[in-house]
Amino acid sequence: GLPLPSQNNTTLTYYCNALAAWYASLTLAAVLHLTNALPLHLLTQEAGPLLTVCVLVADATALVAYVSAFVARREHRMSGNHVYDFFMGAWLNPRVGQFDLKFFCETRVAWIWLFCL
């Protein structure tokens, strides 16, 4: 990635494995469907409960990311209004080791789930 002024112009490493992850996800979905372990029609039949769980997990993840920004002293451009700062994001690039949480949640989980629906 590009140098980040907020992190002393360091660059973040991203692994470009989207194609491999996409085919692995499709293969896993096909295997689960064909073995009847998780038929794909259940995603539409159980959409309400699944989406409720997704929203609760997303809210919990956002809260953990917001609080961890303060704990790790990684907050950036805070306005002082906690509601505004929560929705705008306190930590620009939340990571656990090399694992980018924001990238994973915005792309991998959301788009694969949408495709399966």
Side-chain angles (χ1 to χ4, degrees), residues 103-117:
F103 181 75
F104 178 76
C105 291
E106 289 177 353
T107 59
R108 297 296 167 92
V109 175
W111 285 106
I112 291 172
W113 165 258
L114 184 62
F115 179 80
C116 287
L117 280 177

Side-chain angles (χ1 to χ4, degrees), residues 29-30 32-33 38-45 116-117:
L32 291 174
H33 179 72
L38 180 65
L40 289 176
H41 65 84
L42 283 180
L43 295 178
T44 55
Q45 288 178 351
C116 287
L117 280 177

